[in-house]
Amino acid sequence: MTKIKICGLKRLEDIEIINKYKPDYIGFVFADSKRKVTHELAGQMKENLDSSIISVGVFVDADIDEILKLYRDDVIDIAQLHGRESEEYINKLKQKSNYQLKIINAIEMSDKKDLKAYENSIADYLLLDSGKGSGKTFDWRLIRKDLKKEFFLAGGLNAQNISQAITEFNPYAVDLSSSLETNGYKDELKIKEVMEAINE
């Protein structure tokens, strides 16, 4: 069963909606973005989050100690890396967390990207995306059907195309954000619609 991640939560009201529909993962953005949240707000949201839902912190070339502090303070369970983080950086994050912190390595998909190069990454998952929260789909033909590492599929997914994406590529998880918003805020009706589409 493909898992679902809803990213870019930034209000306590968002957590109320999330707890109602229970996706598998949620994302807090700590990188510069219109969805960026403070450590304090993310902590409040995590305290109110249903304990069955896994929280992911989204970072771009962040200081390793910032990520580890959020992890040790139980604000995030997983780190999602969207910058130019090297294998050495990922390895250091793993070592400093006693190999407890799981890592999602985001890949900006293009014709030049060879996914095979990422299959042996120490990261736990890949995330295939069109860009940093661009809200647009990339050319899905670039996805290798024999990709050995489990991956999150992101970029322009919505209630209309999500069933096709799951059927064709069987991703470990799908990741949505902007398609679930109205005027920049998470919209309960859109979340309900996409959760129903996935559960079908």
Side-chain angles (χ1 to χ4, degrees):
M1 180 76 176
T2 299
K3 299 185 182 304
I4 179 164
K5 173 169 169 272
I6 296 178
C7 202
L9 306 184
K10 58 185 185 183
R11 303 177 300 166
L12 287 169
E13 302 97 285
D14 295 340
I15 297 297
E16 289 177 29
I17 299 169
I18 289 298
N19 288 342
K20 188 171 172 183
Y21 294 99
K22 290 191 171 51
D24 303 280
Y25 298 87
I26 54 96
F28 300 135
V29 178
F30 297 103
D32 285 336
S33 156
K34 61 186 177 186
R35 300 184 185 91
K36 181 176 182 176
V37 292
T38 63
H39 294 195
E40 291 73 23
L41 177 56
Q44 287 179 331
M45 289 195 281
K46 177 65 187 288
E47 280 175 19
N48 288 281
L49 183 68
D50 186 293
S51 60
S52 67
I53 301 169
I54 297 166
S55 64
V56 178
V58 179
F59 304 93
V60 176
D61 300 317
D63 188 288
I64 281 176
D65 289 335
E66 178 193 0
I67 298 175
L68 290 172
K69 178 163 177 32
L70 285 161
Y71 173 62
R72 289 169 182 153
D73 288 349
D74 196 33
V75 177
I76 63 168
D77 305 307
I78 296 180
Q80 180 174 314
L81 309 177
H82 268 273
R84 296 180 180 173
E85 297 89 354
S86 62
E87 276 296 296
E88 184 184 359
Y89 176 103
I90 294 171
N91 200 22
K92 197 179 280 189
L93 249 183
K94 284 280 191 184
Q95 285 177 341
K96 287 193 164 189
S97 69
N98 294 321
Y99 295 91
Q100 298 301 303
L101 175 63
K102 290 197 169 181
I103 294 172
I104 303 169
N105 190 11
I107 314 295
E108 196 169 317
M109 295 295 290
S110 70
D111 296 338
K112 301 184 185 86
K113 281 283 184 329
D114 178 12
L115 286 179
K116 207 162 183 58
Y118 296 93
E119 284 189 328
N120 297 318
S121 171
I122 194 171
D124 299 274
Y125 307 99
L126 299 179
L127 181 139
L128 312 184
D129 198 357
S130 54
K132 297 180 187 72
S134 70
K136 297 181 178 141
T137 54
F138 60 89
D139 183 352
W140 287 349
R141 290 172 298 183
L142 296 172
I143 301 173
R144 291 166 51 97
K145 294 283 179 85
D146 61 346
L147 187 58
K148 292 187 177 69
K149 195 172 274 292
E150 290 184 321
F151 67 94
F152 286 65
L153 181 58
L157 293 173
N158 54 47
Q160 286 67 52
N161 64 12
I162 203 153
S163 297
Q164 179 197 350
I166 291 170
T167 304
E168 280 192 38
F169 302 105
N170 192 28
Y172 168 76
V174 288
D175 190 341
L176 300 97
S177 184
S178 57
S179 67
L180 303 180
E181 293 176 351
T182 300
N183 299 325
Y185 294 100
K186 292 293 182 277
D187 183 321
E188 180 173 354
L189 286 175
K190 290 181 177 178
I191 290 173
K192 179 174 185 279
E193 189 181 13
V194 86
M195 292 298 291
E196 286 173 351
I198 289 172
N199 291 329
E200 281 171 12

